[in-house]
Amino acid sequence: MRRSEVLAEESIVCLQKALNHLREIWELIGIPEDQRLQRTEVVKKHIKDLLDMMIAEEESLKERLIKSISICQKELNTLCSELHVEPFQEEGETTILQLEKDLRTQVELMRKQKKERKQELKLLQEQDQELCEILCMPHYDVDSSSVPSLEELSQFRQHVATLRETKASRREEFVNIKRQIVLCMEELDHTPDTSFERDVVCEDEDAFCLSLENIATLQKLLRQLEMRKSQNEAVCEGLRAQIRELWDRLQIPAEEREAVATVMTGSKAKVRKALQLEVDRLEELKMQNMKKVIEAIRVELAQYWDQCFYSQEQRQAFAPYYAEDYTENLLQLHDAEIVRLRNYYELHKELFEGVQKWEESWRLFLDFERKASDPSRFTNRGGNLLKEEKQRAKLQKTLPKLEEELKARIETWEREHSKAFVVNGQKFMEYVSEQWEAHRLEKERAKQERQLKNKKQTETEMLYGSAPRTPSKRRGLTPNTPGKVRKLNTTAMSNATANSSIRPVFGGTVYRSPVSRLPPSGSKPVITSTCSGKKTPRAGRHGADKENLELNGSILSGSAPL
């Protein structure tokens, strides 16, 4: 049953009770029946009008509720569509009044969400506009008339966050580049002369447009300034090198050099100007001291000739070196030659250093070879012989490796330059081969000389006999006591008697010379037995001296009369 019908029935019951109560009152008062009927009709008429009015009001309320529900539903559908959410669905059955209330509540909620999204969209657009103006980038494409979805807002927020990161990185890069530009300008004494340079240096950093084009222009400006700075530094360094060279050539005293020490560092414009003034002063002084300067250049030329392993013919090819007419033209020729030689040496420095290393190793090798043929080296007491043998063995291994390495590098260089690499007027490997051959021939000649000397000495001793020698005693072998001396003398006499003679080679009697002779090697003397009963060498001492005898290729011999 509808609510209006229920209200109507309840109203009728109430009115009926009210009429009955009025009739009772009228009857007690004594109102006539006709008047009571008349009054009842009047009351009924009023009640009817009242009920009609109440019914009309309820019907009006019903219509308003239905209309409100319709409006709310339409607006709710529109809001759900704008907010990109699912349409509202009422759960279960409910009254019109409750439905209208629920719809109004949902509409208010949707309106609030729409307002919040629109406000956030507006804020993000403002931020995007500000960042895009600083970064000179296009604005984010979004429809400001519609309500953005949650996903669209999230993407917009991410975009704005990316713009902030881009701004921060570009600003950091801009600040770093600006600092370097300012330093370069200060170093070069450069004043900003373009609008862009003034914007970079003089304007507020926050007002600078951080576009990719401006950052690229900044980098280009920095490269240009750094190039100018590098060129300026190179010029200043060249002037300093020229000053030092002129100082050395002119033999400028240290006191005078210290006077310009303040400009020997840095590369600012005033430093460059001061260096140029010093060079001009020294050049003028050089013209006044032509002979001294040319002689100093010649000393330097000789050093470069040595470092480049120039042969005598190559050195003589530079005729101005031997001229004695000290003119400005001669100085220019020497300057040009020293520059050419310096560049030549620097270009092939690694090869020349390798050849120099081989030369040093070769000299050390020859020194060890010479020491190895010297018998006196066996008398050392400090362990030098062992050290020399280790160094000699190491050098014998490293020297061929160094030669092979140099050979490979020189062959590569010759292929690249299409010419021969010359050391002392000949190819390096030919030079090395000649050195080895000369060393071999020298060893062969020394060997033949030793053999010839030993042969002559042997023949002389066999003809005339060897001279007896006073035995040399090593320190600390035996204590010098008379008893032991007598015992040794007795043993020596018996040994001398047993071994007092040999058969002569040439068929005659050879007598022992009364004076001992040193062996040709100059090593420790060998004690020989005599017929006079002098002591013979001990077995251990004889074994120690045997090495020296074999090295020198000779054996001492002697005999007593038969």
Side-chain angles (χ1 to χ4, degrees):
M1 183 180 293
R2 291 184 300 178
R3 180 172 178 274
S4 60
E5 293 176 354
V6 173
L7 292 174
E9 289 181 357
E10 292 178 351
S11 301
I12 290 173
V13 173
C14 291
L15 289 174
Q16 190 65 40
K17 289 181 178 181
L19 284 173
N20 292 335
H21 185 65
L22 285 174
R23 286 191 185 101
E24 290 178 354
I25 294 173
W26 289 338
E27 187 177 353
L28 291 173
I29 295 173
I31 295 176
E33 182 66 24
D34 57 345
Q35 291 181 358
R36 283 188 281 179
L37 291 174
Q38 185 179 0
R39 289 185 177 184
T40 301
E41 290 297 327
V42 172
V43 171
K44 286 184 177 179
K45 183 174 182 304
H46 284 296
I47 291 173
K48 182 180 178 183
D49 293 337
L50 180 61
L51 289 176
D52 289 339
M53 185 180 65
M54 292 177 62
I55 290 172
E57 289 179 355
E58 291 295 327
E59 289 294 334
S60 175
L61 177 62
K62 174 184 175 183
E63 289 177 0
R64 289 199 306 273
L65 289 174
I66 291 174
K67 184 178 180 181
S68 175
I69 288 172
S70 176
I71 293 173
C72 287
Q73 284 179 339
K74 289 181 180 180
E75 185 176 2
L76 191 60
N77 290 335
T78 302
L79 290 171
C80 289
S81 176
E82 290 178 343
L83 296 174
H84 304 280
V85 296
E86 295 293 331
F88 175 76
Q89 296 291 337
E90 185 70 24
E91 296 181 357
E93 296 183 359
T94 182
T95 61
I96 294 176
L97 185 64
Q98 185 64 38
L99 177 61
E100 192 269 343
K101 180 180 178 181
D102 293 343
L103 288 174
R104 276 192 294 105
T105 303
Q106 192 67 24
V107 167
E108 291 295 329
L109 181 62
M110 290 291 184
R111 285 175 180 172
K112 183 179 179 181
Q113 291 183 6
K114 178 180 178 180
K115 182 179 179 181
E116 290 176 351
R117 292 191 187 183
K118 294 287 284 184
Q119 289 178 345
E120 185 177 4
L121 177 62
K122 183 179 179 181
L123 179 62
L124 290 173
Q125 285 178 326
E126 292 175 354
Q127 295 174 358
D128 177 71
Q129 182 178 0
E130 180 183 359
L131 292 170
C132 288
E133 288 177 356
I134 294 175
L135 300 174
C136 295
M137 296 176 63
H139 296 291
Y140 187 75
D141 187 14
V142 62
D143 187 6
S144 58
S145 61
S146 62
V147 181
S149 64
L150 293 176
E151 183 179 359
E152 290 173 343
L153 284 176
S154 177
Q155 293 177 353
F156 202 175
R157 284 193 294 269
Q158 184 65 33
H159 173 72
V160 172
T162 303
L163 288 180
R164 288 198 186 96
E165 293 176 357
T166 304
K167 176 188 174 183
S169 63
R170 288 189 187 179
R171 178 178 175 77
E172 181 180 3
E173 184 177 5
F174 163 69
V175 171
N176 291 334
I177 295 176
K178 176 182 177 180
R179 183 174 62 253
Q180 297 179 55
I181 288 175
V182 170
L183 292 175
C184 287
M185 286 184 175
E186 291 177 354
E187 186 74 19
L188 296 170
D189 290 337
H190 175 76
T191 303
D193 52 4
T194 64
S195 59
F196 182 79
E197 292 179 1
R198 287 190 292 270
D199 291 341
V200 172
V201 178
C202 305
E203 296 296 329
D204 184 13
E205 292 181 355
D206 295 331
F208 187 79
C209 180
L210 301 174
S211 65
L212 290 174
E213 182 180 0
N214 282 355
I215 296 296
T217 307
L218 271 177
Q219 294 172 346
K220 182 179 179 181
L221 175 60
L222 178 60
R223 287 194 298 270
Q224 292 174 350
L225 292 173
E226 287 179 341
M227 184 179 298
R228 287 177 55 188
K229 180 182 175 183
S230 299
Q231 292 173 352
N232 202 39
E233 289 175 349
V235 171
C236 290
E237 192 58 36
L239 290 173
R240 291 189 189 98
Q242 192 174 353
I243 288 172
R244 295 189 190 96
E245 184 178 355
L246 290 170
W247 279 349
D248 294 337
R249 289 180 180 177
L250 297 172
Q251 299 178 358
I252 302 297
E255 296 79 9
E256 190 174 345
R257 299 186 186 190
E258 291 177 358
V260 292
T262 55
V263 297
M264 294 306 287
T265 57
S267 58
K268 291 186 177 181
K270 59 181 182 181
V271 173
R272 179 177 177 178
K273 184 178 180 180
L275 290 172
Q276 187 63 53
L277 290 174
E278 178 66 10
V279 169
D280 294 341
R281 185 185 73 85
L282 293 173
E283 286 289 343
E284 184 178 355
L285 190 61
K286 182 181 73 173
M287 300 303 295
Q288 299 172 3
N289 298 269
M290 192 72 65
K291 181 178 180 180
K292 188 197 315 187
V293 173
I294 291 176
E295 289 176 350
I297 296 177
R298 286 175 175 176
V299 171
E300 189 176 357
L301 272 176
Q303 292 175 354
Y304 275 111
W305 284 342
D306 292 338
Q307 291 176 340
C308 296
F309 300 95
Y310 263 36
S311 64
Q312 193 61 33
E313 292 77 10
Q314 289 175 301
R315 301 183 187 209
Q316 291 175 352
F318 183 62
Y321 183 84
Y322 306 96
E324 296 183 358
D325 185 15
Y326 299 101
T327 62
E328 183 177 356
N329 184 37
L330 184 66
L331 177 61
Q332 291 176 355
L333 292 174
H334 279 74
D335 282 334
E337 181 66 13
I338 199 69
V339 170
R340 186 190 68 82
L341 268 179
R342 187 183 295 119
N343 294 335
Y344 178 73
Y345 176 76
E346 292 297 331
L347 183 62
H348 309 35
K349 185 175 181 180
E350 292 184 0
L351 280 180
F352 287 133
E353 287 179 349
V355 174
Q356 182 64 33
K357 183 179 179 181
W358 181 88
E359 286 276 0
E360 294 173 357
S361 301
W362 177 252
R363 286 195 294 269
L364 187 60
F365 173 75
L366 294 179
D367 187 48
F368 285 146
E369 288 286 302
R370 187 183 69 257
K371 290 180 179 180
S373 62
D374 185 5
S376 63
R377 68 193 183 109
F378 293 103
T379 63
N380 84 94
R381 293 293 185 270
N384 293 329
L385 180 60
L386 180 60
K387 293 179 183 178
E388 290 177 2
E389 285 299 323
K390 288 182 178 180
Q391 292 177 358
R392 182 167 172 262
K394 181 179 179 181
L395 198 58
Q396 285 177 335
K397 294 179 181 179
T398 57
L399 196 58
K401 292 181 181 179
L402 181 59
E403 292 173 3
E404 290 298 324
E405 180 182 350
L406 280 173
K407 179 182 178 182
R409 291 167 59 183
I410 289 173
E411 289 177 352
T412 303
W413 184 91
E414 290 178 344
R415 286 195 301 270
E416 292 175 355
H417 295 80
S418 300
K419 62 180 181 179
F421 184 80
V422 179
V423 173
N424 293 330
Q426 61 182 144
K427 291 185 176 181
F428 176 70
M429 294 313 299
E430 294 179 357
Y431 173 74
V432 171
S433 300
E434 285 187 4
Q435 296 296 316
W436 279 106
E437 181 64 20
H439 173 60
R440 187 188 66 79
L441 294 175
E442 178 63 23
K443 288 182 67 175
E444 187 67 27
R445 184 189 63 77
K447 181 180 178 181
Q448 291 176 359
E449 287 183 356
R450 286 196 303 270
Q451 290 176 350
L452 181 60
K453 183 178 180 181
N454 292 337
K455 181 178 179 181
K456 289 181 178 180
Q457 182 178 354
T458 303
E459 293 174 354
T460 302
E461 289 178 352
M462 298 182 83
L463 284 173
Y464 305 106
S466 61
R469 295 174 292 114
T470 303
S472 62
K473 184 188 297 183
R474 291 189 181 180
R475 294 180 181 179
L477 288 176
T478 56
N480 190 9
T481 57
K484 291 187 177 181
V485 172
R486 287 194 298 272
K487 185 177 180 181
L488 288 172
N489 287 339
T490 305
T491 306
M493 290 174 64
S494 62
N495 290 335
T497 305
N499 302 311
S500 60
S501 64
I502 60 172
R503 183 179 298 275
V505 177
F506 298 100
T509 301
V510 180
Y511 294 94
R512 186 177 304 276
S513 174
V515 183
S516 62
R517 301 177 62 185
L518 292 175
S521 62
S523 62
K524 300 171 186 177
V526 179
I527 303 173
T528 58
S529 61
T530 62
C531 297
S532 61
K534 293 184 179 180
K535 66 177 182 179
T536 59
R538 298 173 61 186
R541 179 63 178 270
H542 179 72
D545 292 337
K546 184 179 178 181
E547 182 181 1
N548 287 348
L549 295 175
E550 292 176 353
L551 284 171
N552 288 281
S554 65
I555 301 176
L556 301 180
S557 61
S559 61
L562 294 174

